[in-house]
Amino acid sequence: MVDASSPHSARRSGRDRTDALQSGRLIFFLVFLLALFPLVISWTLSPSVPAQLRICHSTSPSPLDPEEALDLPYRCVGTVTGYADRWLWLRHDLTQEQQSWPDWSMNIHQTRFENLVVSFHFADGSAQTYRVRAGDFGRHWTPNGYIAFNANRDKAPVKTITLGIDRLVSYELVRLRLVPIAQQERAVQLSAALVGASLSFLTVSLVYNLFLAAMARQKAIFWHCGWVVCLIFWGLCWSQLALVVAPGIAGIASVRICSVLATTATFLACQYMLATLEEDILPFWLRIGLRVVPAISLLFCIACLYPPEGIGTMLANLFRLTTLFTLATAVGALVLALWRGSQNAKDFALAWSLPILAVLASNFNDTSATVPVLSGEMLVLATSALQTLWLSFAASRGFASLKAERDHARAMQSELMALAETDPLTKLHNRRGLTARFQRELAEAHRSGGCLGLMLVDLDHFKSINDTFGHEVGDHVLQHVAGLLGLLRQEGAIVARFGGEEFCVVVPNVAGEALHAMAERVRRLLAGSDLSLLFNSTERRITASFGIIDTRAFPASDANALLREADQALYLAKAQGRNCVVAARSTEALPPDPAAPASARA
């Protein structure tokens, strides 16, 4: 057991504190940027025109012309009811002050309807009408989640606005706003940039976390990847980018898909938290709650997709309550885990605090009333993109140490294996390293019917060099010979130092006369090397004897037997006066090289 007061433990705890401090600074910086973003946008955009809309309502069984819509009996007080299977008409009469406003846009934040008719009635008696239907919002859709309609006020000011909505799901969810057109255009541009950046960030995070999941093989990361997938598709549907490839899902279908994806993402987030936290950190009933409550919320979400007549608003309220209860359960579990000292809970709290706050803010406050770019959906998407930064950082931090330890172990293993098969002086293979490779090449030659050449090289009178000039000079000579023989690796040869002053060369696909010619070329190269500077004398040269073998001449021999035959050929080269090439022969001799000297052909 390691003493907690040991220097190693102190250094480790110091690193942990440093990592925690850096992580806290990073999260504080991200929160600061998130809080600063609405202020910057509010400063760059002109303030929104105050709503000041006095909405009156009426219903009709069928669509009406703009002039007929003006003559309906509107009520400006009371609860709006009876519109589930009828046309709901909304009317707003602009005040004198509102008629004097500059160009503005009527924004509607609600897409759960079948048809929508927006009419601008001008003071000169004319009218301008727009019609959209589910699945076809056209150019009126904006990336910040609104349907925008601009009034052409070149001739006369707008006096009255009427809206006809067919089969509206819930009037309580309708948001109407008058926004200056210049501000609306800038808000659309900023919203598009923010949506694109958030979706790109989520996609990169998904790929990165899938890579981590494949490496770590932890179920928790797969829950997180599922959450990111839901957020990506939710962002594509909500921003209407998905209509590029699937135009048929626009309108109600898109809203329904978004609702299911958002609720599924919440369910996956709770499962991710359960998989992340330690088994004994939460009581059993709370773990069950984190599984059941999000599932109930998902069921209410599905029920809200096709609500029975008259209870759509009730189901929507139940869905909102279960969603908030899900968040409350998750926050309670997180607080309990933090109180019990869970490190994973700290990482989870830092990661999910921003999205949870964004969901709560979007449920209790319409942020787009003050900052048109930041609708509730945009806020959730942006904070989720920031959340992936911390989760990726936390996961990377956890796996970095494991990967570093694994890589270090692998590097040490590779280094030990390389040292075990490498001659430290010449950096060539040693006998062990060459034997394994020679056996593989020999098996491949037998399998494919190819040829394989083998050369044993022994320096002549090397002992006299060590005795006369010392072992240091002898080592330099060996390195020089190793460098010359190493040039054969460019031709596919395997070169090794067998021990002492003896070298071995395995040459795939070279045999017979070609092998003899190669050995003779190397012999002449060695004999022609001027080592005067090395020996500090006027002239000093070295020579070597070669024993070569064509493995085809010994088809029944294994690697060890072939090495013995090559060694016998080398012994003959020494006996014939050294500085020559002798080939091992079986039943018939290899044809001599005509360009070789007589000593090599003997």
Side-chain angles (χ1 to χ4, degrees), residues 41-81:
I41 299 301
S42 301
W43 178 70
T44 56
L45 296 174
S46 302
S48 298
V49 176
Q52 299 181 2
L53 299 180
R54 185 171 182 268
I55 302 298
C56 301
H57 57 90
S58 183
T59 61
S60 70
S62 60
L64 302 175
D65 292 333
E67 296 301 327
E68 295 176 335
L70 288 176
D71 297 332
L72 286 172
Y74 287 93
R75 292 189 304 164
C76 300
V77 295
T79 304
V80 180
T81 58

Side-chain angles (χ1 to χ4, degrees), residues 61-351:
S62 60
L64 302 175
D65 292 333
E67 296 301 327
E68 295 176 335
L70 288 176
D71 297 332
L72 286 172
Y74 287 93
R75 292 189 304 164
C76 300
V77 295
T79 304
V80 180
T81 58
Y83 57 83
D85 58 348
R86 298 168 61 88
W87 279 78
L88 173 65
W89 293 92
L90 305 177
R91 171 173 175 168
H92 171 65
D93 296 319
L94 278 72
T95 63
Q96 291 295 329
E97 177 186 1
Q98 291 172 341
Q99 294 181 28
S100 65
W101 287 348
D103 292 343
W104 41 261
S105 171
M106 167 63 74
N107 289 359
I108 304 173
H109 189 270
Q110 171 59 284
T111 57
R112 296 192 179 188
F113 53 77
E114 290 294 333
N115 296 280
L116 173 65
V117 178
V118 179
S119 298
F120 298 99
H121 304 270
F122 298 96
D124 60 0
S126 61
Q128 182 180 5
T129 302
Y130 297 98
R131 290 180 172 85
V132 297
R133 59 183 178 83
D136 186 16
F137 296 136
R139 60 185 177 85
H140 300 290
W141 177 262
T142 62
N144 55 354
Y146 283 86
I147 308 174
F149 300 92
N150 301 336
N152 185 3
R153 305 180 60 196
D154 295 339
K155 298 181 179 180
V158 177
K159 183 178 181 181
T160 304
I161 303 174
T162 59
L163 293 87
I165 310 175
D166 180 23
R167 301 178 191 176
L168 179 66
V169 174
S170 175
Y171 174 76
E172 287 76 7
L173 300 179
V174 175
R175 302 172 189 170
L176 303 177
R177 181 169 294 106
L178 298 180
V179 180
I181 291 180
Q183 175 178 318
Q184 174 71 14
E185 292 176 351
R186 293 195 62 186
V188 167
Q189 295 173 358
L190 290 172
S191 298
L194 188 57
V195 168
S198 300
L199 291 177
S200 299
F201 200 6
L202 286 169
T203 303
V204 172
S205 172
L206 174 63
V207 174
Y208 180 69
N209 281 278
L210 284 175
F211 173 74
L212 288 180
M215 291 184 59
R217 299 178 183 177
Q218 291 188 1
K219 183 175 67 175
I221 304 181
F222 287 103
W223 287 116
H224 173 62
C225 290
W227 177 84
V228 176
V229 169
C230 289
L231 260 293
I232 291 175
F233 281 100
W234 176 80
L236 290 173
C237 290
W238 168 76
S239 64
Q240 301 295 299
L241 292 176
L243 300 185
V244 176
V245 295
I249 67 171
I252 293 180
S254 178
V255 173
R256 288 169 176 169
I257 293 174
C258 287
S259 299
V260 173
L261 288 173
T263 311
T264 304
T266 304
F267 173 80
L268 293 175
C270 292
Q271 307 316 305
Y272 173 69
M273 183 171 67
L274 281 176
T276 301
L277 298 178
E278 297 82 351
E279 285 288 339
D280 57 346
I281 207 71
L282 295 178
F284 176 76
W285 62 269
L286 191 52
R287 299 184 70 88
I288 294 298
L290 283 175
R291 297 187 186 277
V292 174
V293 175
I296 294 176
S297 178
L298 184 58
L299 291 177
F300 274 118
C301 174
I302 297 174
C304 289
L305 300 182
Y306 301 96
E309 182 179 353
I311 64 172
T313 300
M314 182 188 70
L315 288 177
N317 291 332
L318 288 175
F319 170 62
R320 292 184 65 186
L321 287 175
T322 54
T323 299
L324 294 177
F325 190 63
T326 298
L327 295 178
T329 304
V331 171
L334 199 57
V335 171
L336 179 60
L338 288 172
W339 181 69
R340 293 185 174 182
S342 172
Q343 178 60 42
N344 292 335
K346 296 178 182 178
D347 292 336
F348 193 89
L350 289 172

